[in-house]
Amino acid sequence: MVTKHLQKGLLLAAVLLLTLALTACGPKSSGSIVEGKVNVMTTFYPIYEFTAEIGGDDTNVINLLPVGVEPHDWTPRSQDIISTSKAQLFLYNGAGLEGWVPNFLKSLDGDSKTKAVEVSQGVKLITTDEDDGHDHGHEGEEAEADGHGDSLHTDPHTWVSPKSALVMAKNIKDSLQAVDPAHTAGYEERYQKLADRLSALDLKFTEELGKLPNKEIVVSHQAFSYLARDYGLSQHAIMGLSPDAEPRGQDLVKLAALVKAEGIRYIFFEELVSDKLAKTLANETGVSTMVLNPVEGLTEAQQKNGDNYFTLMEKNLQNLILALQ
């Protein structure tokens, strides 16, 4: 029987994963304020990359989240508050990703002129009853409208779909133009180049995934809802919205049954989160594992390698093609 054995193995992996999550400690954010430039603080990697591309030489972009650190449970330090108080712009994802933002903004210097912008504004947000283990105070009217009240949580992983990334890139461009109208034309031109690349990526995902016979993906944490919605896939996650939300035994048994029933050949895991649970599930069901990257940040190796949003999303597409044939 798979169930008893599977539950035991997965429970052990879950305990180990939780221990790793609690002991992980990241380095501090990089970069410092440059006088005479538009200083922009970003909360995590995709926003940083898009802002640096659109901002070009007119901006100094500092990413608060250090390399190799997973954003869900990171919190800022006092130095981050000091730097952000001196910046013109503070760009964050919103949709509940950075639960620390309201208190952080209250902590900025009283005379700070920093403009805070939620760059996921305008993306049609997905709500889920999966608990992400965080109290965001941002479950939104959509949850109330559905009549579920507090039981619904906003899925924050907007950027994983090129369609949403396009909306976010425009919000970043608009916010740069608002704080620095003198360089409006430059921001517009660089944004246009980025938007063209994102549109091409969107088209490629639509065409390539549309051809594939299989649509079911099993992933380590529920980070691919926007990708699944926009490109016709169906996502099944081992863990919830947060990569350290502990899975329940019965959910894992159900997933194992689904993997066998659907003939799923790969369980996806991600680099910034432990792959223990994905590997245990794969071993129990006799399938392989492969990376599907939620592009929440770069590992040190990826940074050295010159990887970026586009190279990582391209690898995601190739791995999805391989898994869903």
Side-chain angles (χ1 to χ4, degrees):
M1 279 289 284
V2 70
T3 53
K4 276 272 169 62
H5 186 52
L6 176 64
Q7 272 182 296
K8 205 178 208 177
L10 288 163
L11 196 65
L12 195 66
V15 170
L16 198 66
L17 185 68
L18 199 61
T19 313
L20 283 172
L22 293 172
T23 54
C25 193
K28 65 182 192 300
S29 55
S30 57
S32 52
I33 295 291
V34 174
E35 293 300 326
K37 284 214 176 193
V38 175
N39 289 282
V40 187
M41 310 298 289
T42 60
T43 54
F44 79 129
Y45 178 71
I47 301 178
Y48 169 77
E49 183 185 326
F50 296 162
T51 307
E53 284 211 27
I54 298 166
D57 290 339
D58 299 323
T59 56
N60 172 48
V61 188
I62 300 166
N63 197 31
L64 288 173
L65 195 76
V67 173
V69 176
E70 212 284 329
H72 285 266
D73 284 320
W74 178 84
T75 49
R77 297 150 194 260
S78 52
Q79 184 54 51
D80 300 325
I81 295 170
I82 295 164
S83 298
T84 304
S85 295
K86 295 174 187 164
Q88 280 77 17
L89 263 182
F90 170 70
L91 301 179
Y92 66 106
N93 188 73
L97 180 71
E98 309 97 335
W100 48 267
V101 162
N103 286 335
F104 180 78
L105 292 176
K106 281 181 203 149
S107 310
L108 298 183
D109 289 352
D111 55 357
S112 171
K113 302 274 193 295
T114 312
K115 183 182 180 200
V117 177
E118 184 176 14
V119 303
S120 66
Q121 289 251 322
V123 173
K124 188 174 187 321
L125 296 177
I126 293 171
T127 51
T128 171
D129 57 5
E130 279 291 338
D131 188 4
D132 59 356
H134 298 292
D135 174 24
H136 299 306
H138 183 123
E139 307 327 336
E141 288 137 38
E142 203 171 332
E144 296 300 335
D146 284 353
H148 288 35
D150 291 341
S151 65
L152 281 187
H153 298 269
T154 303
D155 186 327
H157 304 92
T158 51
W159 64 92
V160 190
S161 163
K163 281 194 202 306
S164 301
L166 269 162
V167 175
M168 294 165 71
K170 184 179 185 301
N171 288 338
I172 292 167
K173 183 260 297 186
D174 291 347
S175 63
L176 286 168
Q177 288 176 327
V179 298
D180 183 24
H183 296 109
T184 291
Y187 294 137
E188 191 64 51
E189 191 185 324
R190 290 185 292 266
Y191 157 73
Q192 217 47 67
K193 280 185 190 155
L194 176 62
D196 289 348
R197 291 173 72 199
L198 285 169
S199 297
L201 189 66
D202 169 41
L203 185 65
K204 196 169 178 185
F205 265 80
T206 303
E207 287 177 348
E208 296 293 334
L209 296 178
K211 292 178 202 164
L212 299 170
N214 300 309
K215 305 293 179 193
E216 311 283 334
I217 58 170
V218 177
V219 298
S220 57
H221 105 268
Q222 194 176 325
F224 302 94
S225 301
Y226 293 89
L227 186 78
R229 175 186 73 186
D230 291 344
Y231 304 103
L233 304 178
S234 186
Q235 166 189 246
H236 308 276
I238 299 172
M239 289 165 280
L241 289 176
S242 172
D244 57 3
E246 226 175 300
R248 292 174 309 202
Q250 73 256 37
D251 295 340
L252 295 164
V253 172
K254 263 191 217 158
L255 264 183
L258 173 92
V259 168
K260 293 188 168 177
E262 292 286 339
I264 288 166
R265 296 178 300 129
Y266 291 94
I267 309 284
F268 288 110
F269 69 96
E270 51 200 75
E271 289 106 326
L272 292 180
V273 175
S274 168
D275 60 0
K276 291 280 185 294
L277 282 174
K279 288 208 160 135
T280 305
L281 184 60
N283 289 340
E284 290 297 343
T285 50
V287 301
S288 305
T289 57
M290 191 161 35
V291 170
L292 194 61
N293 194 320
V295 202
E296 293 178 339
L298 299 180
T299 62
E300 288 188 8
Q302 286 165 343
Q303 192 181 45
K304 282 197 187 95
N305 190 31
D307 273 316
N308 58 35
Y309 180 85
F310 291 94
T311 64
L312 297 179
M313 288 299 286
E314 195 65 58
K315 280 177 197 160
N316 279 346
L317 180 58
Q318 296 317 315
N319 285 354
L320 284 166
I321 291 167
L322 187 61
L324 297 173
Q325 273 168 357

